[in-house]
Amino acid sequence: MPVVIRQTTPFAGQKPGTSGLRKKVTVFQQPHYLENFVQSIFDSLTDYAGATLVLGGDGRYFNREAIQVILRMAAANGFGRVMVGRGGILSTPAVSCIIRKHRTYGGIILSASHNPGGPTEDFGIKYNIGAGGPAPEKVTEAIHSRTQAISAYRIVEGGEPIDIDRLGTQTLDGMAVDIVDPVADYAELMAELFDFAAIRSLFASGFKIRYDAMHAVTGPYAKAILEGLLGAPSGSVVNAVPLPDFGGGHPDPNLVHAHDLVAAMSGADAPDFGAASDGDGDRNMILGRDFYVTPSDSLAVLAANAPLAPGYARGLAGVARSMPTSQAVDRVARELGIPFFETPTGWKFFGNLLDAGKATLCGEESFGTGSDHVREKDGLWAVLLWLNILARRKEPVDAIVRGHWARFGRNYYSRHDYEGVDAAAAERLMAGLRARLGSLPGTALAGLVLSAADDFSYTDPVDGSVSSQQGIRLLFDDGSRIVYRLSGTGTEGATLRVYIERFDLDRHDRDTQEALADLIALARDVADIEGHTGRSEPTVIT
Ligand code: G1P
Ligand code: ZN
């Protein structure tokens, strides 16, 4: 089969963000569009002749087509081997796991995470490095500049497509294509980290779980691990078959998009434990019976209890959270006497801390939790750590969280999203706040004193790199905070995210929105959200 060099011209806007390049499927379907980006990835890498790449995705529309193209391009560019998940399926944490375990050169993940899938919805592509995590900024910047200068790409043409549903090795113009079981390596790692025997006894005792895979990538993983290896009753995993359009749903595990699960977790007949994961399997939502665990609280509870799992029995080196994530985990770290780190939004900022052994657990308020076992956040991992804790503590989810609040106090916390607002208006809102940072402190607002205001800047403790303008923080004297930032992952207009937090040592039973009401009103006024965006209410509250 011949290697063909195809002439091409650049497309504007092929700039990968923290989570890769995400665009509508129709954009990716333009002639040369995917090819230009893939060639730009390869052109930004060095010394990969004969090397191994991992390739898979969340099963969304265009996944299979993209895999065939990428395989042909990998062969034409001189890779020696590509490991592909059977059916083109690999969750994001599984890609990270396979890259690390098999010491491959890197990997390509096809996903737009929690964004809907289908012919008119989103597709995405992301490159992960040999350490298993997302490409660092210098690599994504190199890829972007390459997309703006590209004039040709290499691809093998002719011959039959690779049968990605058949396990085993096939060859493509001299390159080996290994179709691998998407679950096996990942399941083996989970069995090393967690007390599977204890979780098995928990299920054997009648404990009920409902795991909603949202017709996305974790279905096969959850079926094999929860029902297969751990003995949860068959049917515990629902919406378990990955579908190209995720069954028409929005595969984002939060109170809005996973409302079926939330409903199923209510009432006397509800299961003991509920969980869901997103499109590509890196996010998680945790529920007890009639009880929602915020991701920030989940991180804190996991940090406080992690040593109950064999993989963390030696304790934690440190914990890290993204800046907008609530400060609940900081309190745990202080009590444990371990370091904690506050990083900008985006998983990639945890990579150096994990690599350097400075942090063991990390998490974000956006339903992302993980540890040093891989270099991505990991939805099913969080579910298994919760199960391990539940199996050992033998208390219900709500009792564990209430006990946590009783010990550490409660950080009431909520995120208000204004989605699809005019991008220029959102920029003006942020610029307006930025211009007033100096004049805000000192003002007493809603009974609280605003003690500091800044635009978050992070200096990486490992490599010294500085990331500035990472979100505007209004910090109050009692530890309360309001944070504003613009989403970096949306594909339409801008999304303004407002994060509101208040600490209460003694009162733990209030409704969250009520407990935060004055800060919420203040957040709207200070930034004049309605004046700038025309929106009087957020579109999503989590
Ligand atoms: C969102 C989340 C962020 C997460 C990212 C990728 O980014 O807020 O925590 O790392 O998705 O899953 P954002 O849209 O806010 O830039
Ligand atoms: Zn995701």
Side-chain angles (χ1 to χ4, degrees):
M1 284 181 282
V3 171
V4 177
I5 298 180
R6 290 255 167 244
Q7 304 304 310
T8 186
T9 48
F11 290 91
Q14 285 195 319
K15 189 172 169 52
T18 50
S19 323
L21 181 71
R22 286 189 195 164
K23 300 284 174 192
K24 291 284 171 206
V25 166
T26 47
V27 172
F28 271 101
Q29 285 169 327
Q30 299 172 82
H32 311 309
Y33 190 93
L34 172 67
E35 291 84 346
N36 275 17
F37 191 74
V38 172
Q39 188 65 52
S40 300
I41 295 176
F42 294 159
D43 287 350
S44 307
L45 308 174
T46 52
D47 299 328
Y48 56 77
T52 300
L53 204 58
V54 179
L55 175 62
D58 61 12
R60 68 179 58 228
Y61 191 88
F62 199 56
N63 193 47
R64 289 173 163 267
E65 293 83 344
I67 285 178
Q68 297 294 342
V69 169
I70 296 167
L71 286 173
R72 288 168 179 275
M73 292 186 65
N77 279 276
F79 278 92
R81 182 165 78 119
V82 181
M83 299 172 75
V84 185
R86 183 183 45 215
I89 291 292
L90 281 177
S91 75
T92 290
V95 169
S96 189
C97 162
I98 295 173
I99 291 175
R100 291 169 68 79
K101 178 168 173 180
H102 297 274
R103 300 177 188 280
T104 73
Y105 183 90
I108 290 179
I109 302 173
L110 304 173
S111 171
S113 189
H114 49 284
N115 294 1
T120 58
E121 300 294 351
D122 287 354
F123 190 73
I125 172 168
K126 172 170 127 173
Y127 179 70
N128 277 32
I129 58 174
E137 217 149 76
K138 62 175 191 306
V139 177
T140 55
E141 268 160 21
I143 295 171
H144 177 229
S145 23
R146 190 66 201 136
T147 63
Q148 298 311 292
I150 191 164
S151 59
Y153 61 85
R154 299 171 68 84
I155 189 162
V156 171
E157 292 191 345
E160 291 299 307
I162 292 291
D163 179 359
I164 60 172
D165 297 304
R166 177 159 55 92
L167 289 178
T169 304
Q170 301 164 56
T171 53
L172 178 63
D173 202 42
M175 181 185 82
V177 180
D178 285 343
I179 308 298
V180 301
D181 177 341
V183 179
D185 286 323
Y186 179 82
E188 202 178 288
L189 177 58
M190 294 303 116
E192 282 166 23
L193 295 175
F194 301 117
D195 188 345
F196 271 26
I199 302 175
R200 233 178 266 127
S201 324
L202 179 72
F203 286 131
S205 74
F207 180 93
K208 297 270 184 304
I209 180 176
R210 184 180 176 94
Y211 181 96
D212 193 336
M214 303 187 88
H215 287 302
V217 80
T218 55
Y221 294 85
K223 273 254 170 213
I225 297 172
L226 298 176
E227 296 185 12
L229 297 173
L230 295 170
S234 153
S236 298
V237 180
V238 299
N239 300 324
V241 179
L243 298 175
D245 67 348
F246 305 118
H250 195 137
D252 200 0
N254 60 39
L255 295 175
V256 177
H257 296 307
H259 47 82
D260 291 354
L261 175 66
V262 176
M265 290 304 297
S266 170
D269 297 338
D272 302 282
F273 183 63
S277 195
D278 72 328
D280 63 330
D282 57 359
R283 294 186 173 192
N284 72 90
M285 178 170 72
I286 301 293
L287 300 167
R289 193 178 285 166
D290 282 309
F291 193 86
Y292 163 63
V293 186
T294 70
S296 296
D297 277 343
S298 177
L299 175 63
V301 169
L302 294 181
N305 292 279
L308 295 175
Y312 306 95
R314 281 172 300 133
L316 308 175
V319 290
R321 62 163 172 85
S322 69
M323 180 273 282
T325 303
S326 100
Q327 301 161 99
V329 75
D330 307 11
R331 297 182 177 274
V332 175
R334 249 179 247 125
E335 180 152 328
L336 297 178
I338 57 172
F340 67 91
F341 300 88
E342 183 176 39
T343 60
T345 296
W347 203 260
K348 64 177 182 176
F349 291 99
F350 296 133
N352 278 350
L353 298 172
L354 297 170
D355 285 346
K358 289 180 179 291
T360 310
L361 290 201
C362 38
E364 297 192 273
E365 52 65 40
S366 52
F367 300 86
T369 335
S371 88
D372 58 358
H373 69 293
V374 290
R375 291 297 180 272
E376 292 278 3
K377 57 196 172 220
D378 188 345
L380 195 47
W381 167 90
V383 172
L384 291 166
L385 180 48
W386 262 99
L387 284 170
N388 192 141
I389 292 166
L390 290 162
R392 293 288 305 279
R393 288 192 44 173
K394 302 190 188 344
E395 288 170 82
V397 172
D398 64 326
I400 289 181
V401 177
R402 288 185 215 283
H404 187 92
W405 293 335
R407 181 170 165 204
F408 296 98
R410 177 171 181 186
N411 292 70
Y412 287 97
Y413 181 83
S414 184
R415 182 176 107 181
H416 288 205
D417 291 337
Y418 296 78
E419 296 173 319
V421 301
D422 179 66
E427 290 293 349
R428 277 196 296 275
L429 180 152
M430 293 298 286
L433 280 170
R434 219 167 261 135
R436 286 160 53 218
L437 286 177
S439 62
L440 289 171
T443 24
L445 301 153
L448 301 172
V449 177
L450 204 162
S451 47
D454 68 2
D455 195 349
F456 182 62
S457 168
Y458 176 67
T459 304
D460 187 300
V462 180
D463 65 19
S465 60
V466 177
S467 305
S468 51
Q469 298 209 332
Q470 296 296 321
I472 289 173
R473 306 191 292 183
L474 309 187
L475 307 167
F476 297 87
D477 53 353
D478 70 338
S480 297
R481 303 190 306 171
I482 298 170
V483 173
Y484 303 87
R485 58 178 286 281
L486 299 184
S487 159
T489 61
T491 48
E492 268 163 87
T495 294
L496 169 68
R497 303 203 195 283
V498 185
Y499 311 79
I500 307 109
E501 174 179 4
R502 163 172 267 161
F503 177 69
D504 198 321
L505 186 61
D506 308 310
R507 290 187 60 193
H508 307 145
D509 55 357
R510 301 178 69 189
D511 171 79
T512 298
Q513 300 303 316
E514 257 169 57
L516 297 173
D518 51 358
L519 282 169
I520 291 169
L522 186 64
R524 292 181 186 177
D525 291 349
V526 170
D528 189 16
I529 295 178
E530 188 166 0
H532 282 288
T533 66
R535 304 284 181 81
S536 56
E537 293 293 329
T539 40
V540 180
I541 295 180
T542 47

